[in-house]
Amino acid sequence: MVETLHSNSTFLRPAFFILTGIPGLGGAQAWLTLVLGPMYLLALLGNGALLTVTWIDSTLHQPMFLLLATLAATDLGLATSVAPGLLAVLWLGPLPMPYAACLIQMFFVHALTAMESGVLLAMACDRAVAVGRPLHYSILVTKARVGYAASALALKAVAIVIPFPLLVARFEYFHAKIIHHAYCAHMAVVELVVGNTRANNLYGLALSLAVSGVDILGIAGSYGLIAHAVLQLPTREARAKAFGTCSSHICVILAFYVPGLFSYLTHRFGRHTVPKPVHILLSNIYLLLPPALNPLIYGARTKQIRDRLLATFTFRKGQF
């Protein structure tokens, strides 16, 4: 590639960036594919199976399962937006990524992360209505409203994330083209920019606090209502059954937000205490762990899905 040199340390916008993977690990990066590769395969198979089962079984065309299918589709997109390039970099070493492809990946990673957070909030609201007002559930929560909610969440994710690549695209000069990361995260690219990045930093911080903060508060409020409704039930068995309907969702929330918040806090406030390789590794695991675990959690804990998967497997096995 022929680059125009603007100064001794400043380059005109490069045609491609070079992703190095996880700095400091050297050749040991290849061994991480033995962990992250199976995680991606599990995400593909698990979420694909959930989507297929929900599609072919008309008895699962209910709001709760449609929300679960939306989560599975989001997980599938999130894992696929990161994992192929990540595995290639870890296995083959530093690889170039076209400038436009980097901005596209940046958009999808952040938009799908915001989408997943929104879906988890919608699922918490769904469980709050199911536990708190079971007699009105079928009236308040319908398939049409789930469709509207999913569309609104997708539009919101696009609207709030599209400024990320646009804010980066306005810069013409960079002091390097090597990204010390395994994918094109917004802040990893901004670190290479020559110019005033205050708008990028402030928008990234505001978006993280607004999206995650609002969704976490909404989820906490929903579970506060759930806890209040459960405690009003007369028997321990009834309380255990009501709260059991939320156990899968609680596990999914913890799998998504705990590593995500830890990664965010280490990036913002722990740069001098948490080594950069650890932070980058955690950020990659954060994007792959929930898509890999969610199908297992719902498949193991949701009776209708478990029975349908077993029936499908038994039927296919009986054909041979």
Side-chain angles (χ1 to χ4, degrees), residues 4 7 30 34 37 42 64 75 96 101 117 119 122 126 155 159-160 175 187 196 208 266 270 279-280 310 314:
T4 301
S7 70
L34 299 179
L42 187 59
M64 183 182 75
D75 280 337
S117 182
V119 173
D126 171 77
L155 290 174
I160 63 178
H175 63 75
M187 292 309 301
N196 187 350
S208 298
T266 55
H279 164 66
I280 294 177
L310 290 174
T314 304

Side-chain angles (χ1 to χ4, degrees), residues 39-40 43-44 47 73-85 112 287-288 291-292:
M39 288 176 63
Y40 178 49
L44 287 178
N47 290 293
T74 305
D75 280 337
L76 201 58
L78 181 59
T80 302
S81 67
V82 174
L112 289 169
L287 296 178
L288 288 178

Side-chain angles (χ1 to χ4, degrees), residues 85-99:
L86 166 64
L87 296 174
V89 170
L90 294 179
W91 185 256
L92 301 174
L95 292 174
M97 173 174 281
Y99 177 83

